[in-house]
Amino acid sequence: MKDKDLEKRVAELNKLLHEYAHAYYVLDNPLVPDAVYDQLMQELMAIEKEHPELIYPDSPTQRVGGKPLEGFNKVTHRYPMLSLSNAFNEEDLRDFDRKIRQAIGDKYNYVCELKIDGLAISLRYENGIFVQGATRGDGTVGEDITVNLKTIKDIPLRLKEPVTIEVRGEAYMPKRSFLELNMEREENGEDLFANPRNAAAGSLRQLDSKITASRNLATFIYGIGGDGEAYGIDSHAEMLDYLESLGFRVNKERTLCETIDDVLAFIKKWTTERPNLPYEIDGIVVKVNRFAHQEELGTTVKSPRWAIAYKFPAEEAIT
Ligand SMILES: NC(=O)c1cnc(N)c2cc(Br)sc12
């Protein structure tokens, strides 16, 4: 094939494989059979092997890194990763709502989301290309785990728009993968992970990204670092839709709640439904929806006044 045609074919394969991976891993809605995807990937890998100069930095073949790292570099987050204050019962939630009403009147609503029990991560994109990923760390300084995050198939290496953005989310291990991993470790006489959260954290902090790649991790993205209004959006609900439109995997169970009673109903529903989810959640996140209201309410040193995490009661240890 002539060089020009080869370059064209490589560009086409990159585009197709990004699109198919997004449909499969993010939308859970495959566009082509696995065999077709694999065949295209093999074709791209063969061309890249012969012509390394045609390897795009965000090529789908570049998800699993080279040799293991010696250690993790530190990353200072451009925007601190805030934590959430907790609510443990209806009274705490009604107190939270009363404070909101006292501060901003009664024309506000909430967005409720599932609180994913994983590891908080921050992903940085420049002109739409994934350039760096880090753990939360202490909220200001985290660890650079870019090569390990690249192995997670639902993390887009290239966004649908060439934006420069920093997003926040949770990396987690699905319940089924956790059970399979522990069964394998038991057979190999290795220590077992106590829960999916520890398994996800342990998998993301591997120095060898090939091990991370084998752990079947996934993500839900739920926030933007810095000023969301810079992207022309003025509410949390719109921001989640915007993140989804960029190609991120955003949890679909998010719901607008007009009153704290709606919030309590959402919590009641997921307290019952929780065991049927394919991933662990440890609570429900409640956020005042409009950014103007969030700005009016502000943040304390460590957490926003416009959000709270309702925590499910600790499950009775099965004795
Ligand atoms: N949807 C959300 O906002 C969300 C989901 N799951 C989590 N573990 C967390 C943690 C913070 Br801090 S926010 C958040």
Side-chain angles (χ1 to χ4, degrees):
M1 203 186 286
K2 285 209 294 293
D3 278 2
K4 266 276 162 263
D5 296 343
L6 209 53
E7 283 171 27
K8 222 171 112 207
R9 182 60 181 159
V10 165
E12 188 183 23
L13 285 168
N14 270 273
K15 186 172 176 302
L16 281 174
L17 287 164
H18 277 303
E19 196 180 322
Y20 295 160
H22 176 259
Y24 187 93
Y25 292 107
V26 176
L27 304 181
D28 198 19
N29 177 21
L31 291 175
V32 293
D34 295 5
V36 170
Y37 182 85
D38 295 344
Q39 191 273 326
L40 293 172
M41 182 66 96
Q42 293 304 321
E43 183 185 350
L44 180 57
M45 288 167 82
I47 297 174
E48 291 180 346
K49 192 159 181 278
E50 290 300 309
H51 303 274
E53 74 284 3
L54 295 181
I55 297 176
Y56 288 21
D58 61 333
S59 165
T61 63
Q62 304 304 299
R63 277 197 181 273
V64 188
K67 60 188 188 313
L69 298 176
E70 298 293 311
F72 297 106
N73 295 324
K74 294 294 181 198
V75 173
T76 302
H77 302 298
R78 280 171 178 72
Y79 312 98
M81 292 179 70
L82 297 175
S83 53
L84 296 175
S85 43
N86 292 329
F88 297 98
N89 51 47
E90 177 171 343
E91 190 188 344
D92 292 346
L93 289 161
R94 290 193 183 281
D95 278 348
F96 169 71
D97 184 53
R98 235 188 315 279
K99 285 183 193 139
I100 302 288
R101 187 183 310 278
Q102 276 160 7
I104 62 171
D106 56 6
K107 298 262 180 299
Y108 60 89
N109 59 1
Y110 293 112
V111 175
C112 282
E113 299 169 79
L114 304 183
K115 189 169 182 299
I116 312 303
D117 195 6
L119 194 74
I121 56 172
S122 178
L123 307 175
R124 177 156 185 75
Y125 289 76
E126 285 171 3
N127 305 315
I129 305 296
F130 179 46
V131 293
Q132 187 176 58
T135 61
R136 178 180 180 283
D138 63 8
T140 306
V141 179
E143 289 178 318
D144 185 330
I145 52 167
T146 306
V147 289
N148 289 345
L149 288 168
K150 273 188 170 178
T151 71
I152 302 179
K153 300 284 193 324
D154 66 26
I155 291 181
L157 298 179
R158 178 192 304 181
L159 298 180
K160 293 191 177 301
E161 296 297 329
V163 292
T164 293
I165 191 168
E166 193 163 300
V167 299
R168 274 72 202 270
E170 204 82 3
Y172 70 92
M173 184 177 289
K175 289 176 183 170
R176 174 189 291 275
S177 307
F178 168 69
L179 293 171
E180 287 166 358
L181 175 63
N182 263 354
M183 272 163 50
E184 190 185 307
R185 291 174 74 88
E186 189 163 22
E187 279 159 22
N188 302 340
E190 294 170 278
D191 292 345
L192 306 188
F193 284 109
N195 54 52
R197 190 204 171 289
N198 289 3
S203 302
L204 274 173
R205 302 195 66 256
Q206 283 291 330
L207 291 171
D208 181 355
S209 65
K210 290 184 186 59
I211 296 175
T212 311
S214 73
R215 294 288 175 81
N216 190 35
L217 298 176
T219 65
F220 285 119
I221 303 300
Y222 51 69
I224 293 178
D227 177 4
E229 277 151 340
Y231 300 92
I233 39 184
D234 55 21
S235 78
H236 188 74
E238 281 175 47
M239 182 197 63
L240 294 170
D241 294 344
Y242 175 62
L243 289 170
E244 203 160 41
S245 74
L246 288 178
F248 292 108
R249 186 157 178 261
V250 179
N251 194 287
K252 64 184 185 316
E253 305 306 343
R254 58 199 191 259
T255 303
L256 267 177
C257 291
E258 295 306 321
T259 66
I260 196 68
D261 289 315
D262 293 348
V263 169
L264 289 161
F266 185 84
I267 288 172
K268 188 168 187 299
K269 169 188 174 184
W270 287 104
T271 302
T272 315
E273 293 287 308
R274 178 182 178 202
N276 308 327
L277 285 167
Y279 46 84
E280 296 278 7
I281 60 171
D282 60 347
I284 299 294
V285 175
V286 184
K287 296 179 179 174
V288 172
N289 185 34
R290 291 184 191 81
F291 287 163
H293 290 154
Q294 292 181 7
E295 274 151 42
E296 217 177 319
L297 289 157
T299 64
T300 65
V301 170
K302 75 179 195 43
S303 56
R305 289 195 188 87
W306 43 266
I308 199 160
Y310 167 77
K311 304 286 283 189
F312 291 124
E315 281 172 332
E316 299 301 309
I318 302 163
T319 48

